[in-house]
Amino acid sequence: MNQRKAGAMLSYVYLALTFAVGIFYTPLILHWLGDSEYGVYSVASSIISFLAILDLGFNQTMIRYVAKAKAEKKEDEIDKLNGMFLIFYSIIAVIALIAGLIITLFIEDIFQKGFTPHESETLTIIFRILLVNLVVSFPLATFSAVINANEGFFFLKLTNIISFILTYGGILLSLYLGNKSISMALITAVVGVSLKIITAIYGTKKYKIRFRFSGFDKALLREIFIFSFFIFLNIVIDQLYASTDKFILGALCSSAIVTTYTVGVQFSSYFEQFSTSISGVFLPKITQLVTKDGDMKNVSELFIRIGRIQFIILSFLMSAFIIFGQNFISLWVGDKQLDAYRIALVVIIPAIIPLSQNLGISVLRAMNKHHFRSIIYFFLAIMNVALSIPMAIKFGGFGAAAATGISTCCGQIIAMNWFYYKKIGINIPGYWKEVTKIAAITVLIGLIGYGIHIIPIWQNPSLTAPLHGWISFIIQCIIYAIAYFIIGWVAIFNEYEKELVDGILRKIFRHKS
């Protein structure tokens, strides 16, 4: 098995672990920590994620330029690049440390409205621990970038999985033994730093990593900074979307509201992971079409074909969540977090379109036209922050989530679809024609699913106790999935999609036999 296939396989293992932890880990954490302390930890993590943007996009940039030098067999240039980026990351680590220490001076004042004095003190301690982890991680990122550039995907993905298991396993054990959120931060930092050191040792021995700290090419430096800048913009945007709302809710509302919001937006991350795991498989093909053939008709056909597959999967998940999501949250984390259902809906529903168009990002990068997307998203992220503050004050977590949904509609749907169609030449009307038909049929299937859901036997535990609770939920979901697949096979799937499903089923049954 080559590195790419092994890496892809481990990516799906990691995705499964992420989903499993989300299902089982969150209710246990809420049970052992309580809503308030979990909210405190979420806010500390969000602040750290802001400091993480000091990476400035150098990680992806280093991977690109080291891989390019390797392909051109310029060993001396690779050593210079290693030395250059190690210097960059060391400077960034010092800046992050100084910025973090400044934040600790004011962090309790910032959250004095939403947090109690004890919560503010806990927040400060957690933040300092995570800050140490971040500062140490910056220079060590040089080694993982070199391994990535050398296509050492198996080691990197395996390390991610081991880190994931040790971190969350250690946290659950620590909380079970009676420890609190500070222990979560300590375990995260110890595991993170330890595995990054192991990665550095492995990379040095396996790929003979060397560093040269002189003779840098000024023209190359300029090119690297320009390339990194637009990646950096994307990182800033991601953080503004992912973490700002928690910061705002923590400062203006309460730690308990942060917890509810965190539970709600957690579902959107699952949708995103499903989407990117599909589109990532087609990256080599789309790059070849754009860079070699230059035929936008073929690109459009692939865009629509993969967009349909992604939209079908996301529509099924979305419709199932609309029907069964409230019941799931009640069973999963309790009725106190039911507001998370509304929060999830206003974030996820608008995101289905851009998530099903993820292939477009690869097209833009292959054509070196990703600058427009970065700039538009940056201003829309600022708009999201500007909307979130008044809406969070008035409507709490739902208001902050609604601001994100509005920003998604304006930028990721309207602006980007215009750009794909007018400036890139992708057949966007053809895409909308296809997904509109799928959406209409999904609505009809959803009505059938809702009819299944409201049958009295599921709703009244006195009728039949064994069919209440989790058993009822699982049976309903299975029935809906079967109904969606059968109706979808007849009314939604085209020949290509039927062949794809048939091929997957043949492989599964062949392995079983």
Side-chain angles (χ1 to χ4, degrees):
M1 183 180 293
N2 61 37
Q3 286 281 332
R4 291 181 184 276
K5 289 183 178 179
M9 181 186 71
L10 290 180
S11 293
Y12 286 107
V13 173
Y14 188 80
L15 179 62
L17 282 172
T18 303
F19 182 73
V21 165
I23 296 297
F24 299 107
Y25 172 83
T26 303
L28 290 173
I29 293 295
L30 289 173
H31 173 72
W32 282 321
L33 283 187
D35 296 347
S36 296
E37 191 155 353
Y38 183 69
V40 170
Y41 187 86
S42 296
V43 169
S45 300
S46 297
I47 301 172
I48 284 294
S49 67
F50 278 113
L51 288 178
I53 68 175
L54 288 171
D55 173 88
L56 302 178
F58 283 144
N59 185 268
Q60 294 181 53
T61 305
M62 183 177 180
I63 292 169
R64 180 186 186 275
Y65 282 93
V66 170
K68 183 174 180 290
K70 180 176 178 291
E72 296 171 351
K73 298 182 179 179
K74 297 179 179 179
E75 295 297 329
D76 186 57
E77 185 175 322
I78 292 174
D79 297 346
K80 290 179 183 178
L81 286 168
N82 293 342
M84 183 192 303
F85 281 102
L86 183 59
I87 292 172
F88 290 160
Y89 274 124
S90 298
I91 294 171
I92 289 170
V94 173
I95 295 171
L97 178 60
I98 294 171
L101 293 175
I102 293 172
I103 289 172
T104 58
L105 297 176
F106 302 99
I107 195 168
E108 294 187 18
D109 294 330
I110 294 172
F111 294 96
Q112 63 179 347
K113 180 179 178 181
F115 287 11
T116 65
H118 173 70
E119 289 173 345
S120 296
E121 183 182 352
T122 302
L123 175 65
T124 304
I125 296 170
I126 293 171
F127 175 76
R128 286 172 177 167
I129 295 169
L130 296 178
L131 177 64
V132 172
N133 179 38
L134 180 68
V135 169
V136 174
S137 297
F138 274 128
L140 294 176
T142 308
F143 297 91
S144 61
V146 174
I147 296 172
N148 204 322
N150 283 275
E151 299 188 338
F153 304 126
F154 180 80
F155 175 82
L156 292 175
K157 297 296 183 182
L158 183 62
T159 304
N160 285 341
I161 291 172
I162 293 171
S163 175
F164 193 89
I165 293 172
L166 290 177
T167 299
Y168 286 100
I171 286 173
L172 288 176
L173 178 61
S174 177
L175 295 180
Y176 176 76
L177 295 174
N179 298 306
K180 294 295 183 180
S181 55
I182 293 174
S183 71
M184 294 172 63
L186 282 170
I187 292 167
T188 300
V190 170
V191 173
V193 171
S194 299
L195 287 176
K196 284 181 175 65
I197 291 172
I198 291 171
T199 299
I201 295 170
Y202 171 84
T204 302
K205 291 185 176 181
K206 173 73 174 178
Y207 299 104
K208 305 294 188 294
I209 299 175
R210 296 182 299 270
F211 299 92
R212 182 173 171 182
F213 300 102
S214 61
F216 300 147
D217 186 338
K218 291 183 179 179
L220 181 61
L221 267 173
R222 181 175 178 273
E223 183 181 335
I224 284 172
F225 275 107
I226 292 173
F227 187 87
S228 297
F229 174 73
F230 289 99
I231 296 177
F232 167 65
L233 273 183
N234 286 330
I235 295 172
V236 172
I237 293 159
D238 289 341
Q239 290 305 321
L240 286 173
Y241 270 105
S243 302
T244 306
D245 287 347
K246 296 177 188 177
F247 184 90
I248 292 170
L249 292 170
L252 299 177
C253 299
S254 69
S255 55
I257 289 177
V258 174
T259 296
T260 302
Y261 182 86
T262 302
V263 171
V265 297
Q266 186 172 329
F267 292 99
S268 67
S269 67
Y270 297 144
F271 275 71
E272 184 175 350
Q273 288 168 0
F274 273 110
S275 173
T276 54
S277 65
I278 297 169
S279 60
V281 176
F282 293 89
L283 179 58
K285 184 170 183 177
I286 197 70
T287 303
Q288 181 181 0
L289 285 173
V290 171
T291 56
K292 291 184 178 181
D293 300 339
D295 187 350
M296 291 311 299
K297 181 180 178 182
N298 290 334
V299 172
S300 290
E301 288 176 357
L302 186 61
F303 182 91
I304 294 171
R305 187 194 310 164
I306 306 308
R308 272 185 56 94
I309 295 171
Q310 290 179 305
F311 193 83
I312 289 169
I313 295 172
L314 293 171
S315 294
F316 163 68
L317 294 173
M318 182 73 260
S319 59
F321 185 78
I322 291 172
I323 299 166
F324 308 113
Q326 195 165 8
N327 187 23
F328 172 76
I329 291 173
S330 177
L331 292 167
W332 181 41
V333 290
D335 290 341
K336 288 195 301 181
Q337 302 297 338
L338 282 180
D339 282 346
Y341 174 72
R342 295 191 305 144
I343 290 170
L345 287 181
V346 296
V347 173
I348 294 172
I349 291 176
I352 286 183
I353 296 299
L355 287 177
S356 66
Q357 295 179 341
N358 264 345
L359 207 67
I361 301 173
S362 299
V363 175
L364 296 180
R365 287 178 178 169
M367 299 176 69
N368 198 20
K369 292 186 177 181
H370 59 284
H371 309 84
F372 174 84
R373 179 179 181 272
S374 300
I375 294 169
I376 287 295
Y377 275 37
F378 178 73
F379 284 109
L380 283 162
I382 294 173
M383 184 185 83
N384 178 41
V385 174
L387 285 174
S388 291
I389 293 173
M391 293 183 74
I393 293 172
K394 189 168 181 64
F395 302 107
F398 178 79
T404 300
I406 293 169
S407 300
T408 299
C409 290
C410 293
Q412 298 186 43
I413 298 177
I414 297 173
M416 287 310 303
N417 274 255
W418 171 84
F419 187 73
Y420 285 145
Y421 181 48
K422 292 294 186 180
K423 301 298 181 181
I424 304 300
I426 296 175
N427 183 12
I428 293 300
Y431 162 85
W432 278 101
K433 181 181 178 181
E434 294 295 327
V435 300
T436 301
K437 290 187 292 186
I438 297 169
I441 298 170
T442 298
V443 170
L444 295 176
I445 302 173
L447 292 174
I448 296 173
Y450 182 72
I452 295 170
H453 179 59
I454 61 174
I455 294 174
I457 194 172
W458 313 117
Q459 307 302 319
N460 190 347
S462 63
L463 290 176
T464 170
L467 293 181
H468 191 61
W470 279 111
I471 295 176
S472 164
F473 173 79
I474 292 170
I475 292 174
Q476 290 179 65
C477 288
I478 292 173
I479 293 173
Y480 181 67
I482 294 171
Y484 192 96
F485 180 80
I486 292 173
I487 298 173
W489 186 270
V490 175
I492 295 178
F493 298 174
N494 58 29
E495 290 304 315
Y496 173 77
E497 290 152 3
K498 289 179 180 179
E499 289 176 7
L500 198 63
V501 172
D502 185 60
I504 293 171
L505 292 176
R506 285 177 183 275
K507 286 183 180 179
I508 292 173
F509 288 114
R510 188 183 303 135
H511 284 305
K512 284 187 176 181
S513 60

